[in-house]
Amino acid sequence: MAQQLLMPKATAVWLVDNTALSFDQIAQFCKLHPLEVKAIADGESSQGIKGLDPVATGQLSREEISTAESNPEHKLKLSDPKVRVPEAKRKGPRYTPVSKRQDRPNAILWLVRNHPELKDAQISRLVGTTKSTIEQIRNRTHWNAANLTPMDPVTLGLCTQIDLDLEVERAAKNRVPTAEDQQDSMLLSARETETAESAEESGEKEIDADAVFAKLSSMKRTETDDEDDGNS
């Protein structure tokens, strides 16, 4: 990883104010355009910027400055850093402790069943697995498919609830509405609504009529029974 100058504009301000370097030399060292350095020297673009001493920060030596001042063709070079900063690791699948790796297939099965909207890449980020393993579990071709039990990856400690909720929310935003969703969300026309209401009302009327006839029949039977009892 190539070393980079810290705060190039602030460094340029300091070099303009404290050295006899040319605009081209300062521009080359600070990765600026010579016109920007000229504007700094004229006070047009450096207002409010405090100069940063590259010697104090260990990015430039006094000897290097002196050499460049005596030779306008000399290009300034950054000093070797005294402390090596380790290069940032590239983001990859989540690291899973060895003790919990045996639980990953169970967690994948749980995610596949409970959150089918999640993509393979999202499941991979959550539990630290490969797409091929996810496909095998989806298709039930995994070597241990018969013995797998769905288990919540949060409970297993493979991911946090916040991470899971975030991935589920992302999947929900990116999900394309299905035909069933569109049908459920579709409003009925006025005619269809009136027809449905009429059907419900007629059904209620029929039920009420049946109840009335049943009540009348019951009353007639009761009267007939009473007459029979009186005749006897």
Side-chain angles (χ1 to χ4, degrees):
M1 183 177 178
Q3 185 185 359
Q4 295 183 348
L5 179 68
L6 297 175
M7 301 177 66
K9 205 156 191 177
T11 301
V13 171
W14 189 92
L15 291 174
V16 167
D17 293 340
N18 297 277
T19 68
L21 296 169
S22 67
F23 293 163
D24 289 337
Q25 287 175 308
I26 296 175
Q28 176 270 324
F29 181 70
C30 297
K31 300 294 188 293
L32 300 173
H33 194 279
L35 292 178
E36 291 184 82
V37 180
K38 184 179 184 302
I40 291 173
D42 295 339
E44 297 176 359
S45 67
S46 61
Q47 297 176 356
I49 299 178
K50 184 179 180 181
L52 178 67
D53 185 355
V55 178
T57 57
Q59 297 190 100
L60 196 60
S61 65
R62 289 284 181 186
E63 293 77 11
E64 184 69 10
I65 293 176
S66 299
T67 301
E69 286 176 328
S70 60
N71 180 12
E73 300 298 326
H74 181 77
K75 294 183 179 180
L76 292 167
K77 295 180 181 179
L78 280 170
S79 302
D80 292 331
K82 295 179 181 180
V83 179
R84 291 286 179 183
V85 179
E87 185 177 350
K89 293 183 179 180
R90 295 179 61 185
K91 283 190 175 182
R94 181 186 297 273
Y95 173 75
T96 306
V98 178
S99 59
K100 295 181 179 180
R101 290 180 186 176
Q102 60 183 2
D103 295 327
R104 278 191 300 197
N106 295 327
I108 296 170
L109 182 59
W110 188 92
L111 290 171
V112 168
R113 288 189 178 181
N114 291 276
H115 294 287
E117 71 275 14
L118 290 176
K119 296 181 179 179
D120 290 354
Q122 292 179 295
I123 297 176
S124 179
R125 282 197 298 268
L126 286 171
V127 300
T129 186
T130 61
K131 289 186 178 182
S132 60
T133 302
I134 299 172
E135 290 177 0
Q136 290 172 6
I137 293 176
R138 282 187 192 276
N139 302 329
R140 298 184 180 181
T141 57
H142 189 269
W143 65 272
N144 197 30
N147 299 319
L148 294 182
T149 304
M151 298 183 72
D152 188 346
V154 176
T155 304
L156 293 173
L158 295 173
C159 67
T160 65
Q161 187 64 52
I162 295 176
D163 291 336
L164 177 57
D165 292 342
L166 181 62
E167 295 295 349
V168 171
E169 184 179 351
R170 286 177 179 171
K173 288 181 180 179
N174 297 329
R175 189 171 72 92
V176 178
T178 62
E180 294 180 358
D181 294 337
Q182 294 176 353
Q183 187 174 1
D184 292 340
S185 61
M186 191 179 301
L187 294 175
L188 294 175
S189 64
R191 180 175 295 178
E192 290 174 329
T193 304
E194 291 174 359
T195 303
E197 291 177 352
S198 300
E200 291 179 358
E201 291 176 358
S202 61
E204 292 176 356
K205 290 179 180 178
E206 290 177 1
I207 294 173
D208 292 340
D210 292 341
V212 171
F213 286 129
K215 190 172 182 179
L216 290 173
S217 300
S218 176
M219 292 174 64
K220 287 181 179 180
R221 284 197 299 271
T222 304
E223 292 176 356
T224 303
D225 294 340
D226 292 340
E227 291 177 356
D228 294 340
D229 292 339
N231 296 330
S232 62

